[in-house]
Amino acid sequence: MFNVYEFFNRINEVRPESRLDAGQPDIPVRREIIEEAVESLRRGETGYTSTGGIRELRERIAEFEGVSTDEVIVAPGAKILIAAEIASAKKVAVVSPHWNAYSLIAQQFGRELEVIKTTLEERWTPRVEEIKADLLIINYPNNPTGRVLSGKELRGLLEVAEENGVKVLSDEVYAELTFTRFTPARELYENVVTVKGFSKLYSMTGFRLGYAIGERNEIRRIRRFIESTVTCVPPFVQRAGVKALELREELIKEVRRVYLERARMASKMLRGFDFVEPEGAFYIFLRTPQNGMAFAERLLSRGVAVFPGVAFGDYPNFIRISLSGRGLKRGLRVIREELECALESRATEGWEGSSRGVSAEGSR
Ligand code: PLP
């Protein structure tokens, strides 16, 4: 299995000028948040906390999520909460292309993976009639495609989950970064655990702060997993989280606007090539005229880092471009040049088709 973290380490060694690879937001963490963490440390808040998170943070989260406090659990990042869910399942279904960590975690726990493949031609919309797994992972806004399902599309998928008695893990870490109407899965189906975090909207990746929302028994079960593995989130990180939530509305407006502008700019610069214009998050999943890994290597040799499509499942002819890294404009220019160059050399080699023929570009 392709390990994206190994490729990431190699990128770090090469030190490319344009970092369009990882989902590490380049917008700095707000000063107030950092100061709150420092103040908390100075106050001596350095010990263990309650394993589910400090009450104040859970209360704030519950308030804006419209749930009760005991339906919320706080943990060191969204990823460990995803692991808690995967650990509790026998077989896991995932809509693909998908974030690499789902398969890596499933592998760690020895869980079988049922892949629900989607295609660019169908604008990455899942069409499924039966799910054999007992846990379905969905992720909208999607990493890597930038798709957000419409309410109707989401309802269709959740109905299949319900018919098959499948629990849904809805990874909504990009929920606030949407450029279209977004429906949280739990509004449409009862058997949903929602996972969110502070890594994307607040750029707080290194703080390691995430939370899950679910039915009380489910939260209790996740809590046991957290207790028996990572214990709790450091108190000063949770304090920083409380501060971040005070800035939530302001940041949603500000950060969403930044990523929307970048998505528009990137879509314009890549016009004529095959991808779905992002409806949320900060990625573009682009079809490449040649093997995506070879294309990613070629770009790396020109100082542009992206991830190959194989990092997201069986998508060998794609790359993922992150719009959250440094050197974006330059990187996009190089990508366009390389796309044109690859197409040209294919044409001179007498290749019949054209990847431009099935363009989904600009479709929303
Ligand atoms: N879920 C998805 C879809 C992601 O893309 C990422 C980070 O890239 C995460 C979860 C990780 O969130 P956290 O940093 O809270 O563990």
Side-chain angles (χ1 to χ4, degrees):
M1 197 193 297
F2 178 83
N3 187 326
V4 73
Y5 298 99
E6 278 169 23
F7 188 66
F8 180 67
N9 290 341
R10 204 156 69 73
I11 292 171
N12 286 337
E13 278 163 30
V14 174
R15 294 165 165 264
E17 219 176 306
S18 298
R19 291 300 305 253
L20 316 186
D21 47 294
Q24 169 63 58
D26 60 340
I27 299 173
V29 177
R30 282 282 285 263
R31 272 201 85 76
E32 299 95 309
I33 299 174
I34 293 170
E35 272 159 19
E36 183 62 33
V38 172
E39 277 309 306
S40 168
L41 277 167
R42 290 217 170 95
R43 284 195 299 270
E45 293 174 341
T46 55
Y48 296 125
T49 75
S50 152
T51 49
I54 58 171
R55 187 153 189 95
E56 194 180 348
L57 180 56
R58 282 191 301 126
E59 272 172 4
R60 295 275 161 89
I61 293 168
E63 206 177 290
F64 72 80
E65 294 287 3
V67 295
S68 67
T69 312
D70 53 5
E71 292 171 318
V72 174
I73 180 160
V74 167
K79 197 192 260 176
I80 193 73
L81 291 161
I82 294 164
E85 281 305 310
I86 292 177
S88 78
K90 287 195 185 77
K91 185 173 174 183
V92 181
V94 65
V95 178
S96 198
H98 60 274
W99 184 42
N100 191 256
Y102 305 141
S103 3
L104 293 176
I105 298 169
Q107 196 184 33
Q108 283 295 322
F109 288 106
R111 299 297 185 264
E112 202 185 323
L113 205 64
E114 177 183 348
V115 174
I116 299 169
K117 240 190 130 171
T118 63
T119 63
L120 173 65
E121 286 74 13
E122 294 200 289
R123 302 189 72 248
W124 309 115
T125 312
R127 302 198 192 284
V128 59
E129 279 164 18
E130 191 191 5
I131 301 165
K132 294 199 184 81
D134 53 332
L135 178 71
L136 167 68
I137 304 180
I138 59 172
N139 165 229
Y140 299 102
N142 186 263
N143 171 13
T145 66
R147 248 326 307 267
V148 173
L149 292 191
S150 69
K152 194 172 161 218
E153 288 167 332
L154 184 62
R155 185 170 290 117
L157 181 61
L158 296 175
E159 273 169 11
V160 179
E162 189 166 12
E163 279 160 20
N164 290 266
V166 179
K167 176 163 79 171
V168 170
L169 166 60
S170 187
D171 179 344
E172 298 178 8
V173 297
Y174 299 96
E176 288 82 13
L177 305 177
T178 48
F179 321 134
T180 183
R181 206 186 135 74
F182 169 70
T183 311
R186 70 176 187 281
E187 285 184 11
L188 302 178
Y189 180 38
E190 260 185 16
N191 198 2
V192 172
V193 173
T194 307
V195 169
K196 297 178 81 170
F198 288 70
S199 288
K200 308 301 173 177
L201 172 62
Y202 307 99
S203 305
M204 291 167 66
T205 47
F207 283 71
R208 309 308 301 133
L209 186 58
Y211 61 94
I213 301 163
E215 185 265 321
R216 287 175 187 83
N217 286 330
E218 191 65 44
I219 293 300
R220 231 173 273 138
R221 198 193 50 69
I222 298 174
R223 188 172 178 149
R224 281 199 293 274
F225 182 92
I226 298 298
E227 278 164 7
S228 55
T229 53
V230 287
T231 310
C232 66
V233 178
F236 44 92
V237 170
Q238 296 190 58
R239 287 283 161 212
V242 172
K243 179 54 84 180
L245 292 182
E246 283 173 24
L247 304 167
R248 185 169 183 269
E249 291 305 320
E250 190 185 318
L251 282 175
I252 288 177
K253 276 197 212 118
E254 209 175 291
V255 177
R256 186 186 279 163
R257 189 178 46 78
V258 170
Y259 289 126
L260 174 61
E261 273 169 19
R262 290 183 192 181
R264 284 195 179 139
M265 176 188 75
S267 301
K268 204 165 146 199
M269 287 179 77
L270 298 170
R271 189 154 289 159
F273 295 95
D274 297 343
F275 62 95
V276 173
E277 202 171 308
E279 296 166 326
F282 41 67
Y283 306 106
I284 284 183
F285 203 51
L286 175 87
R287 175 146 44 211
T288 49
Q290 67 187 101
N291 176 276
M293 188 69 224
F295 197 79
E297 289 286 0
R298 171 94 198 111
L299 289 174
L300 195 55
S301 74
R302 292 197 57 191
V304 181
V306 297
F307 281 152
V310 286
F312 307 92
D314 185 21
Y315 295 87
N317 291 323
F318 284 84
I319 55 165
R320 188 197 73 175
I321 303 165
S322 167
L323 309 178
S324 65
R326 78 162 186 260
L328 177 61
K329 216 164 179 179
R330 173 196 171 269
L332 290 168
R333 222 175 292 130
V334 173
I335 292 170
R336 181 160 191 110
E337 279 168 26
E338 287 300 325
L339 284 169
E340 281 169 352
C341 183
L343 278 181
E344 231 165 76
S345 59
R346 242 174 39 169
T348 52
E349 281 160 19
W351 191 80
E352 291 289 298
S354 161
S355 80
R356 296 174 191 220
V358 288
S359 181
E361 161 268 323
S363 52
R364 293 221 49 133

